[in-house]
Amino acid sequence: SQQGEEDPQALSIQEGENATMNCSYKTSINNLQWYRQNSGRGLVHLILIRSNEREKHSGRLRVTLDTSKKSSSLLITASRAADTASYFCATVYDRGSTLGRLYFGRGTQLTVWP
Amino acid sequence: EAQVTQNPRYLITVTGKKLTVTCSQNMNHEYMSWYRQDPGLGLRQIYYSMNVEVTDKGDVPEGYKVSRKEKRNFPLILESPSPNQTSLYFCATRTGTFYEQYFGPGTRLTVT
């Protein structure tokens, strides 16, 4: 399978704490993207990091990419109850028959308690 | 407002009765995809299209058809639905190969 793998599958924290989710993938990528999904709704794009970038920020989100380890992490700082959602990483491969295809992991379910 | 619309949003049907789920986008995006989402399996791509009249199979194309006659529309056709096609379906678009995707609101399909 070309899917990425998120870790952990589920994460439960208190408001104000930081949440860290990890994603591992298998082969050379063009970019890696993170999405959020509120229960049963469409996915919303959060951030895209290209293979030549190591870190990217967007508001309370920080994404890192380590291409040597084929892994990425998403950090949500000072979490809020409204951050409760499933978070998915998606990898875009840059060669071969999978060129340009977007592969999603199974997601991390984040629950933030008030 | 930039958006991806899907219809219907909810559908309950019976085995073998042909159905079409429509997807339309107003962002002039070249690339459109269909995914299904099942518990524990994440999102799996059914079909994708890189431009008008260009479509290709994703990871789970069996039992589905698509067409791309116009840039804005990408309907998903189930010629003879079966219970194992009960799922949450998403249409998604992006402006190019290496860009972020915009998702529709989803269509929850139940086949009995």
Side-chain angles (χ1 to χ4, degrees):
Chain A
S1 169
Q2 301 285 2
Q3 284 183 301
E5 294 289 338
E6 286 98 342
D7 173 60
Q9 288 188 339
L11 181 59
S12 186
I13 59 175
Q14 295 287 135
E15 265 192 331
E17 294 181 340
N18 295 341
T20 299
M21 288 158 265
N22 302 298
C23 172
S24 60
Y25 58 92
K26 292 180 180 171
T27 61
S28 176
I29 61 171
N30 175 276
N31 67 74
L32 185 145
Q33 304 174 23
W34 286 91
Y35 290 81
R36 182 185 71 220
Q37 183 183 33
N38 290 94
S39 181
R41 304 184 73 170
L43 280 74
V44 175
H45 176 259
L46 295 176
I47 200 162
L48 181 155
I49 186 165
R50 300 199 183 277
S51 59
N52 61 352
E53 298 174 311
R54 291 296 166 259
E55 189 169 311
K56 213 162 180 182
H57 297 255
S58 177
R60 294 184 295 113
L61 306 181
R62 173 178 165 251
V63 167
T64 61
L65 179 65
D66 186 335
T67 52
S68 66
K69 295 181 180 177
K70 294 186 173 58
S71 67
S72 173
S73 67
L74 169 67
L75 169 67
I76 304 174
T77 59
S79 61
R80 307 166 180 166
D83 294 327
T84 294
S86 292
Y87 291 82
F88 294 86
C89 70
T91 46
V92 182
Y93 294 100
D94 66 354
R95 63 193 62 182
S97 61
T98 57
L99 175 70
R101 295 272 306 276
L102 203 69
Y103 288 92
F104 285 84
R106 292 181 173 83
T108 293
Q109 172 60 50
L110 173 65
T111 303
V112 183
W113 299 100
Chain B
E1 180 192 351
Q3 59 182 356
V4 182
T5 57
Q6 292 180 230
N7 282 293
R9 295 288 314 280
Y10 302 91
L11 180 60
I12 300 174
T13 189
V14 296
T15 299
K17 186 176 180 182
K18 180 179 178 179
L19 66 92
T20 299
V21 184
T22 63
C23 173
S24 183
Q25 52 107 352
N26 63 0
M27 294 174 279
N28 202 36
H29 284 176
E30 309 251 323
Y31 204 114
M32 298 185 74
S33 296
W34 275 104
Y35 295 87
R36 61 177 289 173
Q37 185 177 31
D38 303 288
L41 295 177
L43 277 88
R44 295 178 293 167
Q45 192 175 49
I46 303 170
Y47 269 96
Y48 62 100
S49 168
M50 289 188 281
N51 213 327
V52 175
E53 302 292 0
V54 180
T55 63
D56 211 343
K57 296 176 181 178
D59 296 314
V60 288
E62 295 78 20
Y64 305 94
K65 285 176 59 177
V66 293
S67 68
R68 187 95 181 271
K69 293 185 171 60
E70 321 166 80
K71 198 171 190 178
R72 63 180 290 128
N73 295 322
F74 191 43
L76 179 69
I77 303 155
L78 285 72
E79 295 268 0
S80 183
S82 62
N84 64 12
Q85 292 178 298
T86 292
S87 188
L88 180 57
Y89 291 86
F90 290 103
C91 178
T93 78
R94 51 181 154 149
T95 188
T97 304
F98 297 120
Y99 293 85
E100 68 273 15
Q101 284 199 141
Y102 295 83
F103 281 80
T107 295
R108 189 167 292 280
L109 172 66
T110 302
V111 184
T112 62

